Amino acid sequence: MRADTITLAHGSGGKAMRDLIDDVFVGGFDNAQLTELEDQARFDLADLTQLGNRLAMTTDCYVVDPLFFPGGNIGKLAVTGTVNDLAVGGARPLYLSCGMIIEEGLPVEDLRRIVASMKATADTAGVCIVTGDTKVVHRGAADKLFINTTGIGVIPENVEIRAQRGQDGDVVLINGFIGDHGAAIVDARGEMSLDNTIKTDCQPLNTLVEAMLAVCPDIHCMRDATRGGIATVLNEFAEASGVSINIDEAALPVRDEVHGMCEILGLDPLYLANEGKLLAIVPPERADACLQAMRAHPAGRDSAIIGHVYADEASRVILKTGFGGNRIVDMLVGEQLPRIC
């Protein structure tokens, strides 16, 4: 492929499009199923059923602005987000699709960097990008690049992670610092002239979840805290399970830089987006073992117990503040930061 920028010809279905697909995507993702260039990826069902008895499927679209930000880019985000949506349901992620809507004029070198990042992240997570689609739209009809990824995984027998399973006495864990991704996007946009070194926390969590399940097969609830932050996820758990959740502000891992940025901008770290953080609700007798397994994993070194579940039909999330009082933490209303993932 010789062009320096994407043109409408690259979406025409002709030779220019084939050159784009062969050079950038097939060459970049580099796996046997993709190189067959069929209109679908094909799997042996016997191989899947050896891993579990249920298929898990998820899909997500990524429209982050800017495309590149400290510690990542839209490609890394697209793979990570879909892998994590499978993993927090207890599934072993296996295969991804990749659909790209590309704006005319996007530099080909930017596209290559994004594809290379997707490949590297997929390799880290142990998944393959096996099928996809490309569309090119007129200049101004999109914002450089939008990506859709769909993921397929397999859930092992006896794993039953659901938002409805929170129970009185359960313990709430998180695998590290909150708000890093949202803060990194604010910094990357360059609108606030802030001087910091915050990077996105974007990372696949599937091997962390495997380590947690190894010591606590009966994890009750688990989700990754992306848009809406941990406050929204905790409210979803409380409402679905018909319980209330107490969390302790002093136990929440928040970087000083993120806390400082939030104070300047009037934001709340509880609502900032994360791309490498999960919340888990586990039985109290397995909480310490699960916490130790999390801290032994690179994606969970800063894991902490941040709260407890108790029986209460009000289904609220209550924060014990640093001043010794309590406040109700509602679900996010509106959007603190648009175009973050």
Side-chain angles (χ1 to χ4, degrees):
M1 183 175 172
R2 298 175 182 174
D4 293 328
T5 59
I6 298 297
T7 69
L8 291 176
H10 291 115
S12 67
K15 185 179 185 304
M17 182 173 177
R18 181 57 185 263
D19 289 344
L20 171 67
I21 291 171
D22 285 347
D23 186 358
V24 177
F25 297 119
V26 176
F29 293 142
D30 187 26
N31 63 75
Q33 286 176 305
L34 192 61
T35 56
E36 292 182 6
L37 290 178
E38 297 287 354
D39 284 343
Q40 72 292 125
R42 303 169 186 180
F43 314 109
D44 190 328
L45 292 179
D47 292 339
L48 298 181
T49 54
Q50 287 180 2
L51 300 174
N53 64 344
R54 286 162 294 165
L55 196 66
M57 180 178 177
T58 187
T59 191
D60 211 338
C61 298
Y62 299 87
V63 295
V64 66
D65 176 34
L67 297 182
F68 299 90
F69 42 85
N73 59 64
I74 190 173
K76 181 178 182 180
L77 188 65
V79 173
T80 295
T82 299
V83 165
N84 291 348
D85 281 348
L86 291 170
V88 295
R92 177 181 174 183
L94 297 173
Y95 304 111
L96 301 183
S97 72
C98 172
M100 291 197 174
I101 297 176
I102 309 171
E103 185 182 22
E104 176 189 15
L106 179 74
V108 172
E109 183 55 33
D110 284 355
L111 190 58
R112 290 188 192 278
R113 288 175 59 196
I114 289 164
V115 168
S117 179
M118 294 181 76
K119 167 64 173 172
T121 307
D123 287 348
T124 298
V127 300
C128 287
I129 299 169
V130 295
T131 190
D133 187 46
T134 303
K135 294 293 187 292
V136 179
V137 297
H138 288 278
R139 194 183 301 269
D143 187 2
K144 298 181 282 296
L145 178 67
F146 300 152
I147 300 179
N148 170 270
T149 45
T150 294
I152 291 177
V154 178
I155 303 175
E157 289 188 71
N158 303 318
V159 173
E160 198 63 43
I161 302 172
R162 296 183 182 276
Q164 296 84 359
R165 294 194 63 217
Q167 300 174 20
D168 183 38
D170 281 352
V171 176
V172 183
L173 300 100
I174 192 166
N175 66 307
F177 293 100
I178 64 172
D180 288 1
H181 180 71
I185 295 298
V186 171
D187 182 54
R189 289 177 181 168
E191 299 170 351
M192 304 297 177
S193 299
L194 299 173
D195 184 16
N196 63 62
T197 58
I198 303 169
K199 293 184 179 180
T200 179
D201 61 343
C202 186
Q203 60 183 332
L205 298 174
N206 51 315
T207 57
L208 172 64
V209 174
E210 289 175 7
M212 295 168 66
L213 285 169
V215 299
C216 182
D218 190 30
I219 294 174
H220 289 168
C221 313
M222 185 158 53
R223 280 189 182 162
D224 55 332
T226 53
R227 286 174 298 174
I230 70 167
T232 297
V233 171
L234 290 170
N235 273 280
E236 290 170 347
F237 288 160
E239 182 177 346
S241 295
V243 298
S244 286
I245 300 173
N246 279 340
I247 55 174
D248 186 352
E249 186 174 39
L252 289 172
V254 185
R255 297 186 195 278
D256 290 341
E257 301 95 320
V258 173
H259 191 271
M261 176 182 286
C262 286
E263 286 197 339
I264 292 171
L265 301 180
L267 302 175
D268 188 336
L270 294 173
Y271 296 99
L272 281 183
N274 311 273
E275 289 296 340
K277 296 298 175 297
L278 61 79
L279 286 160
I281 292 180
V282 303
E285 66 272 14
R286 301 306 302 166
D288 287 340
C290 195
L291 179 63
Q292 294 309 311
M294 293 169 72
R295 288 177 172 173
H297 190 282
R301 282 190 295 257
D302 300 301
S303 296
I305 293 173
I306 63 169
H308 296 81
V309 178
Y310 65 97
D312 179 12
E313 293 181 358
S315 300
R316 297 175 297 185
V317 177
I318 307 294
L319 176 73
K320 179 183 176 182
T321 71
F323 298 103
N326 294 321
R327 73 175 174 95
I328 295 175
V329 178
D330 290 322
M331 190 174 291
L332 177 65
V333 178
E335 180 64 78
Q336 282 199 118
L337 297 170
R339 297 286 305 281
I340 55 174
C341 62

